[in-house]
């Protein structure tokens, strides 16, 4: 099974965009080298190529513009067993030049694939550091006198172990990508592309013309440098080190082993200030301490203290190789902000349990629906602990975990300044679930057959 989960037609890119070709060739190289999904991590930058992570079945990380190199290096240092690949555009390389240079200088074992289409495509075709001097863009309609930023020369002089340049549309691109993935140390591949929305029509650049442009600029295609990888610096004494590859989950010394079904996906949707992410994190901590695997993925706006707060949790007995929540078994909607963010609920089937605040107006769904007066629950445990209490109700009422085992596991594994509040919330949730949460919380229970 390929790590690429969609065909070119299902990708979001403009017709003829070279990004699709890059993703197909990356997947082909990964498959050729037999890199398993749980040993591959894609770090995507901002821009059109930043949407690529959704199409792969592996670890992914999406961050700020130009900062993908730093995230990737951090991941590689903590998990040296992973193959860490950066997908970045020419704009991101310009914004993050310092990070690029120092990652190469330090010999960071990351593999950088630059999707170089000579402009900022997502924001309207503006001039980028790699735009040729004669290139017309929305911000340089008459071209510029700027010297083109030579990514390969920069990486080579900074100490990269492998550097190459080619057209993303050439068949040899797969070979270059495979070589980069196999190279110890820092590797960079400058993949020249066609932006069919902006740069191509403004400059009459065709796919076949990429090689001619290379000759015109004196930036030759091919392998530009193969050097000796620089050793990555050892962490200082006492620094936290990565777990050994393929080790079992480390249980808390006082943890209660938790029986659990196969993969269970959970989505909790609410508002900033409801401690949504904290509630999900507590259950994830209890699960991991009980010998299970857990993955948490959060969604919240940059405002942090206002707007929606969404937290997804996956718990499984087996290692989690895909962190997407596609078929949530349990969905909690605790505010109008959360409901608006989730939007359409028609994808939820009768196998899903949907718990919602009694005051919300829900769209049509075939899921089993439980209504709770979350305000009354908040009065019992405090507003900051309400989400954890409701999540506990859902887990127990849904039959995913035994109430007694959950209480014991939480008692033995939880710590920190919020320990007492968290334990109270879990215990209250267990009591409400046992008493019939809809009656104890003065709520209405509606189950759709």
């Amino acid at each position: 099974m390929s790590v690429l989960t969609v065909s070119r037609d299902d990708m979001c890119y403009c017709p003829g965009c070279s990004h699709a070709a890059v993703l197909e060739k990356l997947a082909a190289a990964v498959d050729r080298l037999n890199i398993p999904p749980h040993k591959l991590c894609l770090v995507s930058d901002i821009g059109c190529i930043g949407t690529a992570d959704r199409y792969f079945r592996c670890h992914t990380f999406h961050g700020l513009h130009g900062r993908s190199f730093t995230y990737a290096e951090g991941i590689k240092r903590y998990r040296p067993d992973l193959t860490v690949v950066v997908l970045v555009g020419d704009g991101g390389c310009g914004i993050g030049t310092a990070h690029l240079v120092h990652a190469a200088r330090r010999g960071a074992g990351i593999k950088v694939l630059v999707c170089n289409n000579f402009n900022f495509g997502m924001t309207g075709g503006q001039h980028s550091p790699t735009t040729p001097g004669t290139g017309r863009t929305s911000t340089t309609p008459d071209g510029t006198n700027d010297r083109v930023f030579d990514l390969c020369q920069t990486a080579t002089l900074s100490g990269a172990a492998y550097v190459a340049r080619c057209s993303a549309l050439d068949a040899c691109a797969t070979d270059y990508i495979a070589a980069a993935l196999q190279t110890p140390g820092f590797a960079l591949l400058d993949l020249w592309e066609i932006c069919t929305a902006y740069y191509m029509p403004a400059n009459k650049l065709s796919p076949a013309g990429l090689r001619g442009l290379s000759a015109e600029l004196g930036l030759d295609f091919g392998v530009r440098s193969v050097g000796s990888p620089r050793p990555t610096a050892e962490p200082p004494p006492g620094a936290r080190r990565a777990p050994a590859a393929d080790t079992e989950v480390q249980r808390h010394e006082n943890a209660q082993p938790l029986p659990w079904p196969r993969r269970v996906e959970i989505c909790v949707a609410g508002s900033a200030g409801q401690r949504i992410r904290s509630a999900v994190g507590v259950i994830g901590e209890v699960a991991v301490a009980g010998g299970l695997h857990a993955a948490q993925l959060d969604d919240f706006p940059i405002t942090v203290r206002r707007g929606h707060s969404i937290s997804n949790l996956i718990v499984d007995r087996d290692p989690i190789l895909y962190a997407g929540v596609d078929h949530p078994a349990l969905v909690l909607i605790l505010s109008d902000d959360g409901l608006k963010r989730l939007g359409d609920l028609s994808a939820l089937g009768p196998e899903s349990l949907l718990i919602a605040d009694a005051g919300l107006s829900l769209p049509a769904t075939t899921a089993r629906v439980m209504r709770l007066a979350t305000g009354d629950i908040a009065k019992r445990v405090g507003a900051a602990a309400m989400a954890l209490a409701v999540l506990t109700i859902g887990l127990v009422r849904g039959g995913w975990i035994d109430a007694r085992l959950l209480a014991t596991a939480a008692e033995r594994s939880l710590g920190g300044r919020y320990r007492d509040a968290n334990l109270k919330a879990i215990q209250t949730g267990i009591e409400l679930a046992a008493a019939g949460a809809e009656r104890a919380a003065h709520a209405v229970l509606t189950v759709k057959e």
Side-chain angles (χ1 to χ4, degrees):
M1 180 184 297
S2 174
V3 292
L4 189 62
T5 61
V6 299
S7 67
R8 179 179 297 207
D9 292 339
D10 294 323
M11 297 179 188
C12 66
Y13 306 120
C14 300
C17 173
S18 303
H19 287 349
V22 171
L23 301 191
E24 290 173 343
K25 289 177 170 62
L26 171 59
V30 169
D31 294 343
R32 178 192 298 179
L33 299 176
N34 294 316
I35 301 174
H38 68 286
K39 290 295 185 181
L40 175 67
C41 180
L42 299 186
V43 179
S44 57
D45 207 83
I46 299 297
C48 297
I49 195 59
T51 62
D53 49 6
R54 72 183 71 175
Y55 302 132
F56 282 82
R57 184 173 59 93
C58 63
H59 302 296
T60 62
F61 189 101
H62 183 64
L64 300 176
H65 211 173
R67 310 300 188 252
S68 51
F69 313 106
T70 62
Y71 304 133
E73 183 174 357
I75 293 169
K76 182 64 177 179
R77 283 177 177 267
Y78 189 71
R79 287 290 304 275
D81 58 301
L82 296 180
T83 298
V84 182
V85 179
V86 174
L87 291 170
V88 61
D90 44 296
C93 285
I95 292 173
T97 301
H99 301 309
L100 169 64
V101 167
H102 291 298
R105 177 184 63 82
R106 288 189 290 261
I110 62 176
K111 322 306 171 189
V112 179
L113 304 186
V114 183
C115 298
N116 183 359
N117 57 16
F118 316 113
N119 71 157
F120 283 87
M122 177 172 277
T123 53
Q126 294 87 0
H127 176 271
S128 88
T130 65
T131 304
T134 57
R136 294 186 295 274
T137 71
S138 61
T139 50
T140 57
D142 298 318
T144 73
N145 293 322
D146 291 354
R147 181 179 178 181
V148 174
F149 181 29
D150 187 340
L151 289 165
C152 291
Q153 184 182 44
T154 299
T156 298
L157 294 177
S158 299
Y162 178 88
V163 179
R165 179 187 293 117
C166 70
S167 166
L169 304 176
D170 288 347
C172 63
T174 303
D175 299 328
Y176 286 153
I177 294 174
L181 297 183
Q182 289 180 295
T183 298
F186 184 93
L188 181 141
L189 180 55
D190 184 12
L191 293 160
W192 283 23
E193 294 192 6
I194 291 293
C195 174
T196 55
Y198 297 108
Y199 196 83
M200 179 179 176
N203 294 276
K204 296 182 173 57
L205 178 64
S206 67
L210 288 174
R211 188 170 292 276
L213 180 62
S214 166
E216 176 187 331
L217 297 175
L219 302 176
D220 295 335
F221 284 178
V223 177
R224 310 312 306 156
S225 175
V226 178
S228 300
R230 299 188 178 188
T232 302
E234 284 293 313
R240 185 182 181 191
R241 292 177 177 268
D246 298 321
T247 55
E248 293 295 321
V249 173
Q250 297 299 309
R251 292 179 176 172
H252 189 282
E253 59 182 357
N254 295 320
Q256 172 74 27
L258 290 175
W260 191 262
R262 293 289 181 181
R263 179 185 177 105
V264 176
E265 299 178 0
I266 300 166
C267 175
V268 183
S271 297
Q274 290 184 315
R275 297 186 64 82
I276 301 297
R277 293 182 293 142
S278 298
V280 169
V282 167
I283 296 301
E285 181 180 346
V286 172
V288 171
L292 302 172
H293 298 263
Q296 181 175 353
L297 181 65
D298 300 328
D299 171 28
F300 53 92
I302 195 171
T303 49
V304 181
R305 292 184 177 272
R306 62 184 300 177
H308 68 272
S309 179
I310 310 292
S311 189
N312 295 317
L313 178 67
I314 301 168
V315 180
D316 200 342
R317 291 181 298 177
D318 300 320
I320 297 169
L321 305 183
Y322 172 63
V325 173
D326 300 325
H327 306 287
L330 175 61
V331 178
L332 274 57
I333 305 179
L334 305 180
S335 75
D336 191 55
D337 286 330
L339 177 59
K340 289 178 180 177
R341 183 62 174 175
L342 292 185
D344 185 16
L345 302 178
S346 61
L348 297 178
E351 70 282 357
S352 298
L353 174 60
L354 171 60
I355 299 179
D357 178 80
L360 295 176
S361 178
L362 297 178
T365 178
T366 58
R368 295 171 292 144
V369 179
M370 177 188 293
R371 295 284 199 163
L372 293 178
T374 59
D376 292 346
I377 297 175
K379 292 177 182 178
R380 293 187 57 169
V381 298
M386 179 272 291
L388 180 55
V390 176
L391 180 53
T392 301
I393 292 172
L395 290 171
V396 175
R397 287 297 296 269
W400 290 289
I401 192 167
D402 177 79
R404 180 183 58 82
L405 290 179
L406 174 60
T408 302
E411 177 71 32
R412 292 182 176 180
S413 62
L414 294 181
R417 59 184 293 195
Y418 296 108
R419 169 183 162 82
D420 292 342
N422 289 335
L423 290 176
K424 179 181 178 181
I426 290 174
Q427 187 57 46
T428 300
I430 290 173
E431 292 171 0
L432 292 175
E438 71 286 356
R439 294 190 301 275
H442 307 291
V444 178
L445 173 64
T446 304
V447 178
K448 296 188 176 182
E449 300 296 338

